[in-house]
Amino acid sequence: MGASSRRARTLQVRKINPATLIGRGQAENIAVEVAQLDCDAVVFDSDLKPRQQRNLEKTIGVKIVDRTALILDVFAHRATTAEGKLQVERAQIEYLLPRLSDLWVEFSRTGGGIGTRGPGETQIEVDRQQLRARLAEIDRRLEHVRSRRSLIRESRKKKDLPTIAIVGYTNAGKSSLLNALSEGGAYVEDKLFATLDPLARRVDLPDSQPVLAIDTVGFMQRLPTRLIAAFRATLEEIREADLLLHVVDLNAPNIPGQILCVEETLEELEVSGKPVITVLNKVDLVGRPGEVVSPDAVVVSTKTGTGLDDLRTQIAARIFRDMREVTVAIPFSQGRLVDLFHREGTVESVEYAPEGTVIKGAIPTRLVAQFRAFELTGNRRSGSP
């Protein structure tokens, strides 16, 4: 389909048609336009059920692609590492499995009878077995990668190296910010989902305090949860981070909507309680935004360097000065954490219980993740989350 034949249409659907999503008359009108424009595909900005997709293809006469399939296709083109490719393939198989019945529906109607199975029914079972076997193989390979990454994170913790996860809407400038704060090297391009795999770089803060900044996959509105889950590496880095940098594109057409999308996604991932610094990027394109987003936000330009020193100062303040009150029961086998609490935090009281050393006090926010598994709940827990 050439550039001249690309066209977007918004259809008002008063009642969902179980067979085709849109009305039959609307589908027939699209078929007329497809013939006039010589299109070879129609993309629906919505998720379609397998039967709806098949019926639309019969009516319209060309390949029908729904929102999830399109995003998966973009992911497949963006994945560069072995892990990224495996994650995309896994999501594609999960998308395909429930559609096998419709792919073979015509064959399953032929050759069947009482006590017999049609060739389609036999073939779909073979296909399902092959896809499930491939899923199992992908999961085994990904587990090796995750185990290796877990060891790397444990090594960071032992070095007490704080970590920052850079999050935001896709194409907001996360990778550009990582390059601007560090020695560079992150892949940058003006396109959706340019980064699918987490990338870590050392960042030196004022007084030469080092932290590790990690670029993550961008979010977008109505991104299917299972697609987010496919990029578990990104989710793990966000969950383990001591601080989040929420990058907002000041040149975006719908800033409030993009901010809300990121906040809702973080809430779905159960990391909305983490400390966050909002970073308003691309000020060189729009000028000073005032308090358009938040009076506490840091305004920067990764292109000109504006505001980067202020951002480094803010990061240092949040990571090394913010404290959180906790009550933890540290197992006796985790003596390192007891030493860390005494060294980095302030201790209000210490007791010894069957479950371990019970310490009440305050620790830097950046260390909360290391003690989270040992926090006491209910009446014995201090502070607020």
Side-chain angles (χ1 to χ4, degrees), residues 4 23 30 33 122 134 143 153 193 206 269 299 314 349 356 376:
S4 61
I30 292 176
E33 286 193 55
T122 303
R134 179 57 183 165
E143 193 56 42
R153 279 198 299 270
F193 304 112
L269 302 178
V299 181
Q314 294 267 12
S349 65
L376 295 178

Side-chain angles (χ1 to χ4, degrees), residues 242-262:
D242 303 305
L243 174 69
L244 305 182
L245 297 185
H246 178 184
V247 182
V248 177
D249 181 359
L250 284 172
N251 200 39
N254 181 17
I255 294 176
Q258 293 190 3
I259 291 175
L260 181 61
C261 168
V262 173

Side-chain angles (χ1 to χ4, degrees), residues 9-81:
R9 286 191 56 186
T10 300
L11 299 179
Q12 297 295 329
V13 181
R14 297 179 180 178
K15 183 179 180 180
I16 298 297
N17 187 327
T20 54
L21 182 68
I22 60 177
R24 182 169 182 82
Q26 291 174 320
E28 292 174 348
N29 289 338
I30 292 176
V32 173
E33 286 193 55
V34 164
Q36 293 174 344
L37 298 172
D38 193 23
C39 298
D40 51 26
V42 173
V43 179
F44 276 71
D45 187 20
S46 176
D47 285 334
L48 298 172
K49 295 180 180 179
R51 185 164 67 101
Q52 292 173 336
Q53 182 176 350
R54 180 169 58 88
N55 290 337
L56 285 169
E57 287 179 340
K58 286 184 175 181
T59 302
I60 298 176
V62 296
K63 180 178 179 61
I64 301 298
V65 179
D66 70 0
R67 181 181 177 85
T68 297
L70 178 62
I71 295 173
L72 279 172
D73 188 54
V74 174
F75 277 9
H77 284 83
R78 300 289 189 265
T80 56
T81 67

Side-chain angles (χ1 to χ4, degrees), residues 227-243:
L227 297 190
I228 299 177
F231 293 88
R232 183 169 166 180
T234 279
L235 309 188
E236 289 172 350
E237 297 296 353
I238 293 175
R239 287 170 178 159
E240 294 294 327
D242 303 305
L243 174 69

Side-chain angles (χ1 to χ4, degrees), residues 248-252 255 280-283 286-287 289 292-293 299-300:
V248 177
D249 181 359
L250 284 172
N251 200 39
I255 294 176
L280 308 182
N281 188 29
K282 305 183 184 180
V283 68
V286 299
V292 64
V293 177
V299 181
V300 306

Side-chain angles (χ1 to χ4, degrees), residues 149-211:
R149 196 185 317 111
S150 178
L151 292 175
I152 294 173
R153 279 198 299 270
E154 288 299 321
S155 176
R156 291 180 202 157
K157 290 180 181 179
K158 290 180 180 180
K159 296 177 182 178
D160 296 332
L161 187 62
T163 58
I164 303 167
I166 304 176
V167 302
Y169 205 80
T170 183
N171 209 30
K174 299 181 300 300
S175 299
S176 296
L177 181 63
L178 179 65
N179 284 340
L181 291 174
S182 65
E183 296 179 356
Y187 176 72
V188 176
E189 189 168 344
D190 184 17
K191 62 184 181 182
L192 302 179
F193 304 112
T195 300
L196 293 185
D197 301 292
L199 177 66
R201 289 288 183 268
R202 172 181 168 138
V203 173
D204 289 320
L205 302 179
D207 300 325
S208 300
Q209 296 168 312
V211 297

